[in-house]
Amino acid sequence: MENYFQMNFTPAQVNAMANLALAHVGDGVFELLCRAWLCAHGDRTVLRLHRDSVALVKASAQARFADALLPRLTEDEQAYYRRGKNAHTHAAPKSATPREYAKATGLEALFGALYLLGERDRLNELFCGVMEELYGI
């Protein structure tokens, strides 16, 4: 049975995936990390958890996260980020500029690639470092 909580794709397999496929996976990974972080940092009602998670995963917030993340990335990680950022998306939400949406897609592609490569420790290191920088927790 496949363990979808711990993926171990090879770099060649990840590199063969479409940019937006990586972003699709990374969107879910980033949202799960944000939800877990919110649960771990304070007692919130379900409504508050929902509102706070939406605020963290919207494109403009992800773009801000990406800006703080970029100096921490290795060369290979930067390449995954650029793949997503430069992907040809057909629509952007009204709440984000095209530039913010591109950065958010880059972030999602990076997180998708790291997840599929089985780099959970690196994902956690990057996520926690930026959350501490941006939110002081």
Side-chain angles (χ1 to χ4, degrees), residues 79-94:
Y80 286 120
Y81 172 79
R82 280 192 306 274
R83 277 182 62 183
K85 184 177 177 227
N86 296 331
H88 295 288
T89 56
H90 298 289
K94 292 178 185 177

Side-chain angles (χ1 to χ4, degrees), residues 74-120:
T74 66
E75 211 171 287
D76 288 341
E77 292 165 348
Q78 288 175 17
Y80 286 120
Y81 172 79
R82 280 192 306 274
R83 277 182 62 183
K85 184 177 177 227
N86 296 331
H88 295 288
T89 56
H90 298 289
K94 292 178 185 177
S95 62
T97 67
R99 183 181 171 116
E100 288 173 331
Y101 194 65
K103 288 180 180 184
T105 305
L107 173 72
E108 291 170 350
L110 169 65
F111 274 52
L114 290 174
Y115 170 77
L116 292 171
L117 290 166
E119 297 288 339
R120 290 188 309 186

Side-chain angles (χ1 to χ4, degrees), residues 11 38 41-42 46 58 81 85 87 90 97 101 112-113 119 125-126 134:
L38 288 168
H41 290 92
V46 174
K58 66 183 181 179
Y81 172 79
K85 184 177 177 227
H90 298 289
T97 67
Y101 194 65
E119 297 288 339
E125 176 187 345
L126 291 171
L134 293 179

Side-chain angles (χ1 to χ4, degrees), residues 2 6-19 21-22 25 80 83 109 112-118:
E2 187 75 36
Q6 178 60 49
M7 303 304 294
N8 288 302
F9 284 40
T10 66
Q13 288 173 306
V14 172
N15 291 337
M17 295 183 78
N19 302 336
L22 294 177
V25 171
Y80 286 120
R83 277 182 62 183
L114 290 174
Y115 170 77
L116 292 171
L117 290 166

